[in-house]
Amino acid sequence: MNKMERALNELGTMDELAVRDSPVHRLHPAAKLLAAAAYIVTVMSFHKYALSSLVPMLLWPVLLFQISGIPVRTCFYKLRIVLPLVMAVGLFNPFFDREILFRIGSVPVSGGVVSMLTLMLKGVLCLMASFLLVASTPFDRICAALRALHVPGMIVTLLLLTYRYVGVMTEELAVMTNAYHLRAPGQKGIHVSAWGSFLGQLLLRSMDRAQELYSSMLLRGYDREFRYASPPSFALRDALYLVCSIAFFLLLRFVNVSGLLGQLFVR
Amino acid sequence: MIEFSHVSFAYEPGKEVIRDLSFRLEDGESVGLIGANGAGKSTVMKLLLGLVQGEGEITVDGIRLEKKTLAEIRRKIGFVLQNSDNQMFMPTVYDDMMFAPMNYGMTREEAEKKVDEVLARLELTALKNRYNHKLSGGEKKMAAVAAILAMEPEAVLMDEPTSALDPYNRRLIIRTVRGMKETKLIASHDLDMILDCCSRVILLSEGRIAADGRAEDVLRDRALLEANHLELPLSLSRG
Ligand SMILES: Nc1ncnc2c1ncn2[C@@H]1O[C@H](COP(=O)(O)OP(=O)(O)OP(=O)(O)O)[C@@H](O)[C@H]1O
Ligand SMILES: [Mg+2]
């Protein structure tokens, strides 16, 4: 298997994760979607120095990963490519914000370092929440939930096609890199001189296939509604899940739980 | 009943691919569409499904194909794509088979019943919960046929149903096709399969009909076939 085929296989296993069965999988997609959105908004709203009160927010995704039977490890493994990007966002904060906030022993800790760590943690938390959503809900059901929440059909269709297009493009990329390496044995990567035509071909081929894929959806009655992915109706348990999640977020957001716990132990 | 009447079409202006094409398929008929590469077989199917628009008139069950009847006509016609990868986009075979029936307003229970029935009919029940991306080419093709039959079409179009299949899976497809009571239009270079599955054959040449008649007659005409880059089916050349 070359790199691309492996990537493809991973996309496939995402779908496999999503159609498993667990209490989390069984929740209504709209409840999961809204909870994840609320989680992300809450996480982003924490103050840039609020590292210690942000840490307990880890509990929510970790707990749900446990219940869903999807190892947290899988999440980090699959996201290993984007993770460094997210982490890199706050990398320069220490250079701009040099004000000393506190000392650990004799080591001074500047505001920049704290805000960098906070930002990194925010990124990781948001990724975890999004991954949890996608890994425990078939993508079509997420789309159905979006439609049920009155997001325009056009936008949801674009989202769905983008998701499918990524798969098609990786497939074509795998075929093309294979073909290339068969004719350029012993060469690492793809020579710069071939990049232009390679990219052009890739776009043409994958767009043709995406077009055909979309036709195939239309020919089988797709009309931007997601009746085929419609979940069972919104039950009490879904409402409970949503309300409890949001209550938990609000609690952690407005009460510094780790601070309180800390004081308990210090006394 | 499907009718083409004086249909012409060009992908690029001035380069007609389909030229003044007229033919008629009766209900329940099984017709092979043959011709050299680029003769226009796939284009005929695209025209019938309204994926491309040409001149002339196409009617299905007396309904004229136009923008506002498109959904109604597509409802009646199932299309098995040449490349099953582009047809199977849901995670599992089951999900894929549920797609059309649910879009067409069946309840989940009705659709599920339909899916089970089709899978049993094609002897594919073992594929039901398999992941599409882990199927072999032949399994994928069979699943694609099953997904189309689940939508209860009146007519089925198939583009190269046996390409890339091993002899065993090819026989499986042939058996399945022979057992289907729907109107069938099958484009293929596999003339033995056409001979097995179709009672009538239309031979296309540069977008025109070069021959239209009983399968045994058209497929026995060596000169005609060879002029169109085709060869006598093995079963006929032996006997
Ligand atoms: N998207 C397109 N744009 C421009 N020309 C096209 C396009 N698709 C097909 N053609 C041309 O139209 C003609 C008929 O193509 P078509 O695909 O219908 O042939 P076919 O009989 O299905 O051939 P094959 O046996 O190779 O599948 C060919 O000359 C082809 O080059
Ligand atoms: Mg073709």
mmCIF file of all heavy atoms in Angstrom, chain B residues 11-12 17 35-44 46 82 159-160 189, ligand 1:
data_model
loop_
_atom_site.group_PDB
_atom_site.id
_atom_site.type_symbol
_atom_site.label_atom_id
_atom_site.label_comp_id
_atom_site.label_asym_id
_atom_site.label_seq_id
_atom_site.Cartn_x
_atom_site.Cartn_y
_atom_site.Cartn_z
ATOM 1 N N TYR B 11 -21.286 16.834 -27.958
ATOM 2 C CA TYR B 11 -20.651 17.374 -26.755
ATOM 3 C C TYR B 11 -20.027 18.724 -27.082
ATOM 4 O O TYR B 11 -20.102 19.658 -26.315
ATOM 5 C CB TYR B 11 -19.550 16.434 -26.240
ATOM 6 C CG TYR B 11 -20.063 15.186 -25.556
ATOM 7 C CD1 TYR B 11 -20.095 13.961 -26.218
ATOM 8 C CD2 TYR B 11 -20.518 15.242 -24.244
ATOM 9 C CE1 TYR B 11 -20.550 12.818 -25.574
ATOM 10 C CE2 TYR B 11 -20.971 14.109 -23.597
ATOM 11 C CZ TYR B 11 -20.984 12.895 -24.261
ATOM 12 O OH TYR B 11 -21.443 11.768 -23.637
ATOM 13 N N GLU B 12 -19.376 18.780 -28.247
ATOM 14 C CA GLU B 12 -18.770 20.032 -28.698
ATOM 15 C C GLU B 12 -19.459 20.442 -29.982
ATOM 16 O O GLU B 12 -19.735 19.596 -30.821
ATOM 17 C CB GLU B 12 -17.272 19.836 -28.945
ATOM 18 C CG GLU B 12 -16.488 19.606 -27.676
ATOM 19 C CD GLU B 12 -15.271 18.715 -27.906
ATOM 20 O OE1 GLU B 12 -14.709 18.743 -29.023
ATOM 21 O OE2 GLU B 12 -14.912 17.983 -26.971
ATOM 22 N N VAL B 17 -22.202 13.418 -32.021
ATOM 23 C CA VAL B 17 -21.860 12.101 -31.516
ATOM 24 C C VAL B 17 -23.040 11.157 -31.726
ATOM 25 O O VAL B 17 -22.879 9.967 -31.977
ATOM 26 C CB VAL B 17 -21.508 12.205 -30.016
ATOM 27 C CG1 VAL B 17 -21.313 10.840 -29.425
ATOM 28 C CG2 VAL B 17 -20.258 13.052 -29.825
ATOM 29 N N GLY B 35 -21.318 -1.673 -30.344
ATOM 30 C CA GLY B 35 -20.660 -0.754 -31.257
ATOM 31 C C GLY B 35 -19.225 -0.524 -30.810
ATOM 32 O O GLY B 35 -18.871 -0.808 -29.666
ATOM 33 N N ALA B 36 -18.393 0.000 -31.705
ATOM 34 C CA ALA B 36 -16.985 0.223 -31.398
ATOM 35 C C ALA B 36 -16.836 1.246 -30.273
ATOM 36 O O ALA B 36 -17.798 1.928 -29.917
ATOM 37 C CB ALA B 36 -16.270 0.727 -32.651
ATOM 38 N N ASN B 37 -15.628 1.351 -29.724
ATOM 39 C CA ASN B 37 -15.352 2.419 -28.752
ATOM 40 C C ASN B 37 -15.690 3.766 -29.373
ATOM 41 O O ASN B 37 -15.338 4.028 -30.514
ATOM 42 C CB ASN B 37 -13.868 2.444 -28.363
ATOM 43 C CG ASN B 37 -13.487 1.283 -27.468
ATOM 44 O OD1 ASN B 37 -12.503 0.607 -27.705
ATOM 45 N ND2 ASN B 37 -14.282 1.043 -26.442
ATOM 46 N N GLY B 38 -16.399 4.573 -28.644
ATOM 47 C CA GLY B 38 -16.728 5.908 -29.143
ATOM 48 C C GLY B 38 -17.916 5.951 -30.080
ATOM 49 O O GLY B 38 -18.224 6.988 -30.649
ATOM 50 N N ALA B 39 -18.621 4.814 -30.225
ATOM 51 C CA ALA B 39 -19.773 4.788 -31.135
ATOM 52 C C ALA B 39 -20.943 5.600 -30.591
ATOM 53 O O ALA B 39 -21.806 6.028 -31.348
ATOM 54 C CB ALA B 39 -20.209 3.348 -31.379
ATOM 55 N N GLY B 40 -20.978 5.785 -29.268
ATOM 56 C CA GLY B 40 -22.038 6.598 -28.676
ATOM 57 C C GLY B 40 -22.965 5.840 -27.742
ATOM 58 O O GLY B 40 -24.022 6.346 -27.364
ATOM 59 N N LYS B 41 -22.557 4.646 -27.315
ATOM 60 C CA LYS B 41 -23.423 3.832 -26.456
ATOM 61 C C LYS B 41 -23.704 4.517 -25.121
ATOM 62 O O LYS B 41 -24.865 4.672 -24.718
ATOM 63 C CB LYS B 41 -22.774 2.460 -26.203
ATOM 64 C CG LYS B 41 -22.443 1.697 -27.478
ATOM 65 C CD LYS B 41 -21.811 0.352 -27.176
ATOM 66 C CE LYS B 41 -20.443 0.442 -26.523
ATOM 67 N NZ LYS B 41 -19.402 1.017 -27.389
ATOM 68 N N SER B 42 -22.640 4.936 -24.463
ATOM 69 C CA SER B 42 -22.830 5.583 -23.157
ATOM 70 C C SER B 42 -23.619 6.869 -23.313
ATOM 71 O O SER B 42 -24.425 7.226 -22.451
ATOM 72 C CB SER B 42 -21.480 5.891 -22.510
ATOM 73 O OG SER B 42 -20.735 4.712 -22.363
ATOM 74 N N THR B 43 -23.399 7.548 -24.418
ATOM 75 C CA THR B 43 -24.099 8.815 -24.644
ATOM 76 C C THR B 43 -25.600 8.596 -24.784
ATOM 77 O O THR B 43 -26.398 9.388 -24.293
ATOM 78 C CB THR B 43 -23.522 9.509 -25.892
ATOM 79 O OG1 THR B 43 -22.103 9.584 -25.751
ATOM 80 C CG2 THR B 43 -24.082 10.904 -26.041
ATOM 81 N N VAL B 44 -25.996 7.501 -25.436
ATOM 82 C CA VAL B 44 -27.421 7.189 -25.550
ATOM 83 C C VAL B 44 -28.034 7.078 -24.151
ATOM 84 O O VAL B 44 -29.117 7.598 -23.875
ATOM 85 C CB VAL B 44 -27.621 5.871 -26.336
ATOM 86 C CG1 VAL B 44 -29.037 5.350 -26.175
ATOM 87 C CG2 VAL B 44 -27.306 6.096 -27.810
ATOM 88 N N LYS B 46 -26.885 8.410 -21.344
ATOM 89 C CA LYS B 46 -26.909 9.726 -20.698
ATOM 90 C C LYS B 46 -28.070 10.559 -21.216
ATOM 91 O O LYS B 46 -28.703 11.300 -20.458
ATOM 92 C CB LYS B 46 -25.601 10.470 -20.949
ATOM 93 C CG LYS B 46 -24.430 9.939 -20.137
ATOM 94 C CD LYS B 46 -23.243 10.871 -20.270
ATOM 95 C CE LYS B 46 -21.933 10.131 -20.148
ATOM 96 N NZ LYS B 46 -20.815 10.899 -20.701
ATOM 97 N N GLN B 82 -20.838 2.109 -15.230
ATOM 98 C CA GLN B 82 -19.716 1.243 -15.575
ATOM 99 C C GLN B 82 -18.762 1.117 -14.386
ATOM 100 O O GLN B 82 -18.289 0.047 -14.070
ATOM 101 C CB GLN B 82 -18.978 1.814 -16.786
ATOM 102 C CG GLN B 82 -17.736 1.020 -17.118
ATOM 103 C CD GLN B 82 -17.173 1.382 -18.472
ATOM 104 O OE1 GLN B 82 -17.648 2.297 -19.126
ATOM 105 N NE2 GLN B 82 -16.163 0.667 -18.884
ATOM 106 N N ASP B 159 -24.223 -0.111 -18.219
ATOM 107 C CA ASP B 159 -23.093 0.231 -19.074
ATOM 108 C C ASP B 159 -21.950 -0.718 -18.757
ATOM 109 O O ASP B 159 -21.411 -0.696 -17.652
ATOM 110 C CB ASP B 159 -22.689 1.694 -18.830
ATOM 111 C CG ASP B 159 -21.925 2.266 -20.012
ATOM 112 O OD1 ASP B 159 -21.541 1.479 -20.898
ATOM 113 O OD2 ASP B 159 -21.720 3.481 -20.043
ATOM 114 N N GLU B 160 -21.598 -1.569 -19.684
ATOM 115 C CA GLU B 160 -20.499 -2.519 -19.509
ATOM 116 C C GLU B 160 -20.590 -3.312 -18.206
ATOM 117 O O GLU B 160 -19.667 -3.268 -17.395
ATOM 118 C CB GLU B 160 -19.159 -1.765 -19.515
ATOM 119 C CG GLU B 160 -18.911 -0.928 -20.732
ATOM 120 C CD GLU B 160 -18.410 -1.742 -21.908
ATOM 121 O OE1 GLU B 160 -18.318 -2.975 -21.765
ATOM 122 O OE2 GLU B 160 -18.143 -1.139 -22.947
ATOM 123 N N HIS B 189 -19.248 -4.686 -24.866
ATOM 124 C CA HIS B 189 -18.439 -5.291 -25.923
ATOM 125 C C HIS B 189 -18.425 -6.807 -25.764
ATOM 126 O O HIS B 189 -17.841 -7.516 -26.567
ATOM 127 C CB HIS B 189 -17.009 -4.770 -25.861
ATOM 128 C CG HIS B 189 -16.923 -3.294 -26.025
ATOM 129 N ND1 HIS B 189 -17.234 -2.673 -27.205
ATOM 130 C CD2 HIS B 189 -16.597 -2.312 -25.171
ATOM 131 C CE1 HIS B 189 -17.088 -1.375 -27.067
ATOM 132 N NE2 HIS B 189 -16.707 -1.118 -25.836
HETATM 133 N N1 LIG C 1 -17.610 14.417 -21.809
HETATM 134 C C1 LIG C 1 -17.299 14.370 -23.123
HETATM 135 N N2 LIG C 1 -16.868 15.472 -23.759
HETATM 136 C C2 LIG C 1 -16.570 15.449 -25.073
HETATM 137 N N3 LIG C 1 -16.670 14.370 -25.840
HETATM 138 C C3 LIG C 1 -17.099 13.223 -25.275
HETATM 139 C C4 LIG C 1 -17.431 13.162 -23.888
HETATM 140 N N4 LIG C 1 -17.830 11.917 -23.592
HETATM 141 C C5 LIG C 1 -17.745 11.221 -24.730
HETATM 142 N N5 LIG C 1 -17.309 11.997 -25.750
HETATM 143 C C6 LIG C 1 -17.141 11.570 -27.152
HETATM 144 O O1 LIG C 1 -18.384 11.104 -27.627
HETATM 145 C C7 LIG C 1 -18.217 9.961 -28.437
HETATM 146 C C8 LIG C 1 -19.115 8.855 -27.929
HETATM 147 O O2 LIG C 1 -18.717 8.495 -26.635
HETATM 148 P P1 LIG C 1 -19.412 7.362 -25.795
HETATM 149 O O3 LIG C 1 -18.825 7.417 -24.437
HETATM 150 O O4 LIG C 1 -20.879 7.498 -25.910
HETATM 151 O O5 LIG C 1 -18.927 6.065 -26.568
HETATM 152 P P2 LIG C 1 -19.160 4.541 -26.188
HETATM 153 O O6 LIG C 1 -19.854 3.921 -27.315
HETATM 154 O O7 LIG C 1 -19.784 4.437 -24.855
HETATM 155 O O8 LIG C 1 -17.659 4.033 -26.158
HETATM 156 P P3 LIG C 1 -16.978 2.919 -25.226
HETATM 157 O O9 LIG C 1 -17.237 1.623 -25.865
HETATM 158 O O10 LIG C 1 -15.545 3.269 -25.280
HETATM 159 O O11 LIG C 1 -17.567 3.052 -23.862
HETATM 160 C C9 LIG C 1 -16.745 9.631 -28.401
HETATM 161 O O12 LIG C 1 -16.177 10.058 -29.605
HETATM 162 C C10 LIG C 1 -16.193 10.412 -27.248
HETATM 163 O O13 LIG C 1 -14.893 10.839 -27.540
#
